[in-house]
Amino acid sequence: MERAHYYFPVGLLLATSLLAVGTADIINDKSALVAFKNHIVLDPHSIVAKNWSISSSVCNWIGVTCDSSRQRVMALNISNMGLAGTIPPQLGNLSFLVSLDMSSNSFHGHLPEGMSHLHRLSFMALSYNNLAGEIPSCLGVLDRLQYLSLTENNFVGHLPANMCDNLPNLKELDLSWNQLSGQILSGLSNCSGLKSLDLSYNQFNGYIPKAVGNLKMLEELHLGDNNLEGSIPEEIGNLQSLRVLSIERSNLSGSIPREIGNLTMLEEVDFFNNSLTGPIPNEIGNLLKLESLNLDENSLSGSIPVWIFNMSTLRELYLSYNHLSGVLPSNMCHGLHNLEAILLGGNNFSGAIPATISNCSKLTGIFLGGNKFSGPIPNSIGNLRRLEFLSLSGNNLTSESSSPELGLFTSLTGCISLMDISVGDNPLNGVLPRSIGNLSISVELLDVGNSGLRGNIPDSIGNLSNLIFLGLGDNSWTGSVPTAIRGLQKLQYLDLSNISLTGPLSRGLCGLQSLEVLYLTQNQISGSIPGCFNNLTSLQYLNIAFNRLTSTLPLWDLKGLKWVNLSSNLLRGPLAPEMGELKNLTRLDLSNNQFSGKIPSTIWSLESLDRLSLANNSLRGSIPDNF
């Protein structure tokens, strides 16, 4: 019998061969992902456990994207899934992988060398994990990589010397918020296509390399919060595409280079908390797109250049805590149409605060405290309807109002977003108006301490129900604390020291359930400490020294107390054994009173105590040497 012959078309044979190869490739991808799954030790939402099924195609797994023609894994996105585990070397077998996003999980351990096989990778985000060890040099061979983010991990050591040798396409490199050290390598300039470089919040030291000026494509440069030293290199003026320049919380010295004026695309400059000296260079006036200028906490001197007040794009001007001086121009807001925050505190500015400051109608924050400003506080500030923060404390300012009542507070009632008001340490010399109760319900801080105020504390202050901080100390109030103060249920800090209070302690204080700090020192308060003080369960710091209190102490139920000063009163009776239960107490001063009896032995159980004074009482007993 003649044998039958079967012929297969060449095309069909080729297709069958490719199918076999393709099947093998997808099996390799599946094997790599199964290995990855096996290294996940925490899957709180069971996303991987339920959806990465061995019986189904990997292209149907959550977080996996495949190429439609080859059915190869091209993208792996498992960000924000709450996963924990390590990265296995088999991940490097995903040879068609273009995008890898594992950010915002809890992966730990080192990056495996096998990741060097991901030659098609262009996007890698491993940020917000707990990855550790050194950054492997193998990442430097991924020549198609455009985006690399390792921010918010625990990487240590120096940057690989050859990191940028083979990364011509890298556009964004973010290594911030790690523990990287050593010098910032000049070799980074070989990443010539970089548009964004962020090395902030690490432990880099040494100088900023002059080679940084070779990164001509750079649009964002973040080097802040390191241990850098030396001056800002003038070569930084070569980065003419730069939009953001941030080198805050370092130790740079010298002057701001005049070449910064070449960076005409700059929108944000941040040199906060360095040791820069000299004047603010006039060349910054060339930055016609500048929106934010932060030179806070340096040692700059001289006056504010006039051109700053003509920068119509400027939103934020931060010049606090320098050695700047001079006066504010009377038309200071003529060109600052977009200004939202002006911070000039802690300098040597003098002269008046111009009434035209209200023409900066977008202002939300004003900080002019700690200067030498004089003259009246303009009531026109109340026209700034968007105002949230107002700090004018520590100057020589007076009230603009001709009547004893401070008109400023009446004018501020129209500022519906106001949260902080600080005008203490000024000779305001007036009366707090009842209209203070009409301030915005959003007010959280009110400080009028040491400002020559007199009269009564108005009952209406109890309307400020969201108040957290209230400073009324070092004034000449009359009368007692209004009972309406009990309306301040969110109050945490209250200073009523040295304000000539008389009579007994107000029971209104007992209603302040959130109070943590209470200062009543140096008044003429008499009578007993109300038993309801034991209701102040949040209280940690209490100072009622230098008054005329005559009672025993009803405070021992306040287990959170850390600091107590009741010295220089007329307190009497024995010390209760319960005082030994205040385990958090670090300082206790009961000196100069009339306490009697034996020192309770329970006092020796106060293990956190580092300062104790019982002097000038009628107590008996000794204090052990080992206390």
Side-chain angles (χ1 to χ4, degrees), residues 179-463:
Q179 300 173 41
L180 299 170
S181 57
Q183 296 194 359
I184 297 175
L185 301 176
S186 58
L188 283 175
S189 63
N190 292 335
C191 289
S192 55
L194 270 180
K195 291 188 175 182
S196 177
L197 174 61
D198 193 342
L199 304 179
S200 59
Y201 294 93
N202 279 286
Q203 299 171 17
F204 290 113
N205 55 34
Y207 299 94
I208 300 174
K210 293 182 178 181
V212 74
N214 296 334
L215 299 174
K216 301 294 180 61
M217 305 293 291
L218 208 60
E219 296 179 4
E220 293 192 22
L221 177 60
H222 302 267
L223 301 177
D225 279 272
N226 282 289
N227 300 315
L228 302 175
E229 57 183 311
S231 59
I232 302 171
E234 62 184 32
E235 287 78 5
I236 212 156
N238 297 337
L239 308 179
Q240 297 189 13
S241 298
L242 206 61
R243 293 185 298 103
V244 177
L245 176 58
S246 178
I247 319 179
E248 82 286 355
R249 294 299 294 280
S250 294
N251 193 32
L252 298 177
S253 57
S255 59
I256 300 173
R258 298 172 60 181
E259 288 76 9
I260 197 173
N262 297 337
L263 310 180
T264 55
M265 302 299 290
L266 267 181
E267 299 172 5
E268 178 182 337
V269 175
D270 189 351
F271 296 151
F272 167 70
N273 195 10
N274 280 282
S275 300
L276 299 173
T277 57
I280 301 172
N282 284 322
E283 286 75 10
I284 292 184
N286 299 336
L287 309 181
L288 301 181
K289 295 185 177 182
L290 195 64
E291 297 181 10
S292 178
L293 178 61
N294 188 346
L295 305 178
D296 273 358
E297 297 191 30
N298 281 280
S299 297
L300 299 170
S301 56
S303 59
I304 301 177
V306 176
W307 49 259
I308 279 187
F309 298 101
N310 292 321
M311 302 188 80
S312 60
T313 57
L314 201 62
R315 294 185 298 103
E316 300 170 338
L317 178 60
Y318 300 155
L319 304 177
S320 299
Y321 301 109
N322 280 280
H323 304 306
L324 299 169
S325 58
V327 300
L328 298 180
S330 58
N331 62 344
M332 61 172 287
C333 287
H334 178 70
L336 299 176
H337 306 302
N338 292 296
L339 194 65
E340 297 175 8
I342 180 168
L343 279 67
L344 307 180
N347 281 286
N348 295 307
F349 293 112
S350 57
I353 299 175
T356 56
I357 195 172
S358 61
N359 292 338
C360 292
S361 58
K362 294 184 179 180
L363 273 174
T364 61
I366 299 175
F367 176 38
L368 305 180
N371 280 286
K372 299 176 181 178
F373 288 112
S374 58
I377 301 174
N379 292 340
S380 61
I381 289 178
N383 296 330
L384 298 170
R385 299 308 192 200
R386 302 182 185 184
L387 196 63
E388 298 176 10
F389 303 93
L390 176 62
S391 177
L392 306 176
S393 57
N395 282 286
N396 195 31
L397 297 167
T398 59
S399 172
E400 190 176 62
S401 176
S402 57
S403 69
E405 290 195 342
L406 302 180
L408 172 67
F409 292 98
T410 302
S411 69
L412 291 175
T413 57
C415 302
I416 60 174
S417 300
L418 198 58
M419 291 189 290
D420 286 16
I421 307 171
S422 181
V423 293
D425 293 305
N426 281 294
L428 299 179
N429 300 324
V431 175
L432 209 58
R434 288 189 55 81
S435 60
I436 196 168
N438 298 329
L439 288 172
S440 169
I441 198 69
S442 60
V443 172
E444 298 178 352
L445 182 148
L446 176 60
D447 184 7
V448 293
N450 190 31
S451 52
L453 298 184
R454 58 187 186 274
N456 294 323
I457 300 173
D459 289 347
S460 59
I461 207 166
N463 297 344

Side-chain angles (χ1 to χ4, degrees), residues 467-604:
L467 210 59
I468 295 175
F469 181 108
L470 178 57
L472 302 176
D474 295 296
N475 283 295
S476 299
W477 306 107
T478 56
S480 58
V481 180
T483 56
I485 203 170
R486 65 164 60 97
L488 307 181
Q489 290 294 301
K490 296 183 180 179
L491 197 66
Q492 298 176 18
Y493 181 104
L494 176 59
D495 184 1
L496 298 172
S497 57
N498 193 24
I499 60 173
S500 304
L501 286 177
T502 59
L505 280 173
S506 170
R507 291 183 175 268
L509 295 171
C510 297
L512 304 179
Q513 299 293 315
S514 301
L515 198 64
E516 298 178 4
V517 179
L518 176 59
Y519 293 145
L520 289 163
T521 185
Q522 294 183 328
N523 284 291
Q524 302 296 319
I525 301 170
S526 57
S528 62
I529 299 176
C532 63
F533 259 52
N534 274 319
N535 296 335
L536 302 178
T537 53
S538 299
L539 200 62
Q540 299 180 31
Y541 299 87
L542 175 64
N543 190 341
I544 320 182
F546 295 96
N547 279 283
R548 297 180 178 179
L549 295 170
T550 57
S551 67
T552 55
L553 298 184
L555 302 173
W556 310 124
D557 288 340
L558 302 180
K559 300 298 191 281
L561 281 173
K562 296 180 180 178
W563 195 93
V564 175
N565 188 350
L566 301 176
S567 64
S568 302
N569 277 282
L570 303 172
L571 297 168
R572 61 181 186 272
L575 298 180
E578 291 81 3
M579 68 188 302
E581 299 178 10
L582 303 183
K583 302 299 184 182
N584 294 318
L585 205 61
T586 60
R587 296 193 177 188
L588 177 62
D589 191 346
L590 302 178
S591 62
N592 298 305
N593 278 286
Q594 299 176 10
F595 291 114
S596 58
K598 188 176 181 179
I599 299 174
S601 60
T602 54
I603 199 172
W604 317 135

Side-chain angles (χ1 to χ4, degrees), residues 92-115:
N93 294 335
L94 298 175
S95 55
F96 271 72
L97 200 65
V98 175
S99 176
L100 174 63
D101 190 348
M102 297 169 53
S103 57
S104 300
N105 285 291
S106 297
F107 287 101
H108 57 275
H110 294 199
L111 293 182
E113 293 288 335
M115 297 185 76

